[in-house]
Amino acid sequence: MTTRFLRASLSGLAGLAVLAAPAAAQTAADAAPAPAAAQTAADAAPAPAPASASAATDRPPLDLPPDLRRPAAASQLDLPPAPPAPAMPWELDRARALLSVVEGIAAEGLDPADYRPEELRAAIAAGTSPALDTLASEVFTWLVEDLRDGRTPMEARRQWFVVDPDADALPTGQLLADALASGDIAGTLASLNPTHPDYAALREALAATPAANTSRRALIRANMDRWRWLKRDLGVQYLLTNVPEYQLRLTVDNKIIRSYRTVVGKPGRTATPQLAEVVEGVVFNPTWTVPQSIVRGEGLGARVLNNPAWARANGYRGTRSENGFVTVVQQPGPGNSLGMMKLDMPNPHAIFLHDTPARNLFVQDQRALSHGCIRVERALELAMTVAILGQGATREEAVATAQSGTYTRVPVQKAMPVYITYFTMARDIDGELRTFDDIYGRDAPVLAALRAPRVANRARVTDEEAVEIVDDLQTT
């Protein structure tokens, strides 16, 4: 079975040179692949650092854009709301252009009434004045915040742990100054729209949906806003998974190059959160350190220690410390709960993408079956692709590493962002706009927030608890 899986994965690597084209622009200093860190068979758990000293000390830093670098945990929680843009002088032609944007903003899924059109119209009729300056600057600021960051307040974004960098990259005050200097009010605001083709598809669907179909229009608006919660431009090359669709995409220049079925978290405490992370390494032939909830709570530790033959047959290795603490690690192999690979993308939730020996689950239509992590079909193909595109290994090295049967972590040098999203209306992998089941019930608070009055001074980060996923046992 393992040989057949590897053969299928290798066939999927055909044409990888086309995918690697975006990586060619990386500087020569970053081009040399870093050596993989192999774990000896005697080790019970993955080493925290590469086995090779040169891999730990000589490898160039990950080629990561500044807006994808993870901020310190404290700064994520303590970011203050951005100060409002100052009132600036508004000529009447620019104020009229602003009013025109407000009157047409429904095309972007926003409510014109949120931006005080009657007050703005009256202020324009009264002529230039400090009152017009203050009002127009405030309206412009609100439009920027909603178009750039999303109108939905953070408390309505359930299990949303993405820190959107756009407010730092496109500060409101600078946008206001540029718009007034150029006179292109509409163009400045339109430049904040997400660049992903799915946003444009939703916008077109909204325009084509009759006003009487309020439920469909509301769902379109909610999912348009979800795109604004993310970085405006997701990058040239990235992985994106839409949890309710049970699909993962490898995307280059906003075009799907490959897609993979997924198994995601079960509803409830183990529902998969929404994240924006970066792959830092590819682990081939991973080990699995069994959580204490299973070692002690389900008696696995005692079974492993008391029945060595059963433990060996199932790939488990158990140790008992002097204080009686039992650790169980499942060794690499075809029966390992993580399968033959995982993508190392460190985050506070311990969420990652990995293989599974239970590949029969991918034929099911409803695949919310895991303990939170995302299981991926054709996972070995994906692992080798990411290792090669990330300039961590050549094709030959990736194949040899996968075949070795030994725990090996291949660091990647070129960033591969991963976006774990939750869209209940989006284009599917065939490019058709579809609705997907709201498997976690995350639509209701967004829809309610869009119906409610606009919230000012919204937080940029969530205060919701980060639920750490402690196991990912196979669900049958």
Side-chain angles (χ1 to χ4, degrees):
M1 178 177 174
T2 301
T3 302
R4 185 165 61 252
F5 183 45
L6 180 60
R7 188 181 300 118
S9 302
L10 290 174
S11 67
L13 289 175
L16 188 59
V18 176
L19 296 181
Q26 190 178 34
T27 62
D30 291 335
Q39 185 187 41
T40 64
D43 292 336
S52 166
S54 64
T57 59
D58 296 340
R59 183 167 65 90
L62 190 67
D63 179 15
L64 194 61
D67 55 7
L68 283 175
R69 294 171 188 155
R70 176 183 297 283
S75 67
Q76 284 196 23
L77 298 177
D78 298 337
L79 283 172
M88 300 182 70
W90 281 78
E91 298 176 12
L92 290 180
D93 63 331
R94 285 154 172 73
R96 292 189 187 100
L98 178 64
L99 178 60
S100 180
V101 172
V102 170
E103 292 171 336
I105 202 63
E108 304 298 338
L110 298 175
D111 185 353
D114 282 338
Y115 310 103
R116 302 156 69 182
E118 296 305 324
E119 291 181 50
L120 185 56
R121 190 175 292 109
I124 292 171
T128 56
S129 69
L132 174 61
D133 296 341
T134 299
L135 177 59
S137 293
E138 186 172 79
V139 169
F140 184 91
T141 296
W142 289 3
L143 285 165
V144 167
E145 291 173 350
D146 293 354
L147 290 168
R148 182 191 61 201
D149 311 326
R151 185 187 178 281
T152 307
M154 198 59 65
E155 55 268 23
R157 307 181 188 186
R158 301 291 166 78
Q159 288 292 291
W160 176 261
F161 296 96
V162 178
V163 179
D164 184 356
D166 289 339
D168 297 321
L170 300 165
T172 304
Q174 187 61 55
L175 290 167
L176 174 57
D178 292 346
L180 289 176
S182 67
D184 189 8
I185 307 298
T188 301
L189 292 169
S191 71
L192 301 174
N193 289 334
T195 63
H196 197 281
D198 276 27
Y199 180 84
L202 287 166
R203 190 182 191 277
E204 291 173 5
L206 184 65
T209 302
N213 195 343
T214 55
S215 60
R216 178 175 172 83
R217 290 182 64 85
L219 187 61
I220 295 172
R221 293 177 62 219
N223 285 282
M224 290 177 73
D225 208 49
R226 283 179 166 127
W227 279 110
R228 292 189 280 260
W229 305 353
L230 289 164
K231 183 184 175 192
R232 174 181 171 273
D233 186 342
L234 300 187
V236 174
Q237 179 177 283
Y238 56 88
L239 294 168
L240 185 147
T241 180
N242 183 23
V243 169
E245 188 188 5
Y246 309 117
Q247 292 281 355
L248 172 72
R249 301 152 166 78
L250 171 59
T251 303
V252 177
D253 290 330
N254 280 334
K255 296 179 181 178
I256 300 173
I257 304 301
R258 290 178 186 164
S259 63
Y260 307 84
R261 294 186 179 189
T262 62
V263 172
V264 302
K266 291 180 288 189
R269 184 173 175 81
T270 57
T272 301
Q274 296 146 100
L275 307 172
E277 304 297 338
V278 176
V279 175
E280 295 185 1
V282 180
V283 178
F284 291 94
N285 307 301
T287 59
W288 181 51
T289 301
V290 185
Q292 289 300 303
S293 61
I294 299 170
V295 173
R296 290 185 299 174
E298 300 182 16
L300 180 65
R303 187 176 187 186
V304 167
L305 294 177
N306 295 333
N307 193 338
W310 178 88
R312 283 194 300 273
N314 289 276
Y316 291 112
R317 184 175 299 168
T319 57
R320 187 193 302 273
S321 65
E322 293 182 359
N323 64 3
F325 188 84
V326 176
T327 301
V328 176
V329 177
Q330 191 178 30
Q331 300 304 300
N336 186 282
S337 290
L338 303 184
M340 297 180 67
M341 79 87 179
K342 76 171 186 177
L343 299 186
D344 186 13
M345 36 187 274
N347 61 85
H349 313 266
I351 291 289
F352 50 87
L353 279 62
H354 68 87
D355 185 21
T356 173
R359 298 184 185 111
N360 58 298
L361 297 180
F362 292 116
V363 301
Q364 298 186 19
D365 291 333
Q366 305 301 318
R367 298 193 292 275
L369 302 168
S370 83
H371 284 63
C373 286
I374 298 175
R375 307 175 195 168
V376 184
E377 72 167 344
R378 306 196 326 275
L380 197 55
E381 173 195 315
L382 175 64
M384 290 189 282
T385 300
V386 172
I388 295 167
L389 294 183
Q391 301 181 352
T394 64
R395 183 182 187 277
E396 292 72 21
E397 289 169 342
V399 172
T401 301
Q403 291 177 324
S404 71
T406 302
Y407 173 97
T408 308
R409 182 184 184 277
V410 177
V412 298
Q413 298 180 53
K414 186 170 180 61
M416 176 69 79
V418 180
Y419 301 96
I420 301 177
T421 65
Y422 190 92
F423 292 98
T424 52
M425 182 179 286
R427 294 193 310 163
D428 61 18
I429 57 173
D430 297 318
E432 299 297 324
L433 192 66
R434 287 179 49 200
T435 58
F436 303 101
D437 291 341
D438 182 14
I439 57 177
Y440 298 154
R442 291 177 179 167
D443 274 349
V446 180
L447 294 169
L450 293 178
R451 288 192 302 267
R454 182 185 185 277
V455 175
N457 299 320
R458 298 189 297 268
R460 287 184 58 192
V461 294
T462 184
D463 59 1
E464 195 171 357
E465 176 189 5
V467 178
E468 182 177 357
I469 304 301
V470 296
D471 70 85
D472 199 30
L473 280 176
Q474 304 309 316
T475 303
T476 57

